[in-house]
Amino acid sequence: MMHPYKPKDVSTCFPGRRIVFAGDSVTRSLFFAFAHVADSSLPPEPPKDDYQKKHADHSLHSPEGDINFEFYWDPFLNSTTITGMLSGSGTQGEKPALLVLGSGLWYLRYPQDSGGLAGWEGMVDRTFAAIPERLPGLADRVVVLPVEEPVISKLSPERAATIHLGDVDAMNSDLMHRVARMAHSSSIWGPTPLPTYPIAIPTIFNDMLLEDQTQDGLHFSNFVLSQQANLLYNFRCNEAQPKYYPFDKTCCNSYPQTPFVQLFILVLVLAVGPFVRFAGPYLVSYKPTLAGFLPGSDYLIPLTIFGGVVGLNFMADRTAIWMKEQKQFDVWVFSGLCILSLVAGLATMKGKDKDLGLLNRDQTDEWKGWMQLAILIYHYLGASKISGIYNPIRVLVASYLWMTGYGHFHFYYKKADYGMLRIAQVMVRLNTLTIILAYVMDTDYVFYYFAPLVSFWFAIIYGTMIIGHKYNENAGFMVAKILGSALVLTYVFKSQWIIEFIFGILNRFFAIRWEAREWMFRVTLDLWIPYVGMLTALAYIKAQQYNLMDHPRFPVALKTAIGASVVGLVWFFWFELRQPNKFVYNGWHPYISWIPVLSFIVLRNCTAYLRSVNSKAFAFIGRCSLETFIMQYHFWLAADTRGILMVLPLGTAWRTLNMIVSTIGFIYVCHHVAEATGWITNWVCGTPRKPRLPTPAVQSTQAGGRTEEAIPLLPADQS
């Protein structure tokens, strides 16, 4: 993966340094593109009108990093300046941080003056012989550009008469033959040079040339040149950049040495299941009291699976075993994947003979499943820059939080069980994988924002419900509590200083470096939708108590709600598509996200038939949606969500096959780690029963036949 370098990155890599390019017009174009990346005020291309200015030396300076960029016009690489630099006989000045040499096409264009291929070969002999003799004083790194492959059909007749692809291929083959003794790797740079012979030849440059990006067949657009320049920055700077997450600079870079704590926890998680399996009986026989602390035999396989999955995440995203590549958004691919998912969901629709009730367990699993698939596709293709896609995805996240408010409120209102056991079950189930990954992957807890977010809202809902819980049956008191909680939380997050103060204490006394602004953004973006879920649950419970669904006017009210829901959904999509960008929409989102959420719920539950059918495929994904949300960071996606994991060693030409294979493995692993986490939760909390996060199963005998109503507790629970 390439890191998109910005001026700040460049100034960090080359503070007060000197960059030298030398060569022909192709090298000159790359020089200007390279300098423009470092400082947008510098010209992106050479002068076009003045022939003398084009075919001359150029010197540019970037004040931001105090960087000097020098170009020497030397199409044959035989001028006194370059030969003196290579031999050490000339006045070189400060050692360059990067030396880039490019030549070849002028030897073909003017064979009588240059000696043609023989002359080029002699120049290469001298250059390649001189560079090792002058290191390390010549430059920090030396790059020899491959001879550019021209677009023959666009060459002028004069150029086409002497420049032939066969000669270019022979020249590039000669360059590669000369570095045959170098170490080979899968780097995009082709052969990776040994430390004793640090010449890099970016052979990928010719693969980046597009016919529609050139007018004369030789000189390509700024788009192509900027990508090539970015490759040079990645080659020179990535290894020198600070190595901490997100690790999105995998090009020309190595992963840092694993810290002791990180390695210790990884080994511990991997070994706990096998250790207890083989050493547990001996420990218990030696000291029987240990039996109460060691997991039973039923938990050994889940512990082993959990440890293996954590190790798989580490191997995928903290080693170079598998390649990573950039995300590439394509509207047709995005649409196709969404349609295929929809077809799979509809093809597995199954119905039951009875009305399962509003928001029954199968339905909410289905809801979580198709939302999670949409989010996964969105992340895989990097669609966050497309406002028309980003905005509905924000509503899907809001839907998860709505379910969190609805489910937890329903449980505490009906069960009034405020004991520590349930708190432990919810928190352990939600956070086990997240916390372990934070240590093993050397990230932080808030980085996996979804688990912290739903954990935070669980705490808020619990606090709201337990205060004065003896009076929760009073609807007025309950509404007042919910509104009061919303007002207090709004003040805390809108004033900002409270959160910054808390995070400052965590940083100073506990060395917990969480980003306060990022956390405030995550919470405030959906600040009120959990409260809407709580109020919806209260309204539905009261409607059941007073048998409002049996009221003669209920059918009219239902039809009105259906009509309003259709209008609400249409209005939402009309509104969000009219927003100029996602940042403007974010300002509206907390106030309007409840409209599409409630509209969908009404339409999905408006008839007994709709409440009795659900998609098995979507429900399957929904039952492991928490794991898919968290594990996508490192396995399936890569580089801490910045890239895509290439599990097949077939290169980027096999992206589709890689996506199919990696997706199947990803879903399979997430399903099993979800089950394993459920078992681990039971072991930690001391509840030896089926690995299932407790949810209220409300048996309703109200008129209308609504029975077996299961309320969703979390965006991802195990059933």
Side-chain angles (χ1 to χ4, degrees), residues 170-208:
M171 297 165 82
N172 284 324
S173 297
D174 182 79
L175 286 176
M176 301 312 299
H177 177 73
R178 292 173 184 273
V179 294
R181 71 185 185 90
M182 299 179 183
H184 290 266
S185 74
S186 60
S187 167
I188 62 169
W189 295 88
T192 301
L194 293 170
T196 58
Y197 203 70
I199 298 177
I201 301 179
T203 57
I204 194 68
F205 271 24
N206 280 328
D207 295 330
M208 300 172 68

Side-chain angles (χ1 to χ4, degrees), residues 464-486:
T464 302
M465 295 298 293
I466 197 173
I467 295 175
H469 62 275
K470 295 181 180 179
Y471 307 100
N472 282 352
E473 291 291 333
N474 186 308
F477 177 76
M478 193 70 253
V479 170
K481 278 208 305 180
I482 293 173
L483 296 179
S485 175

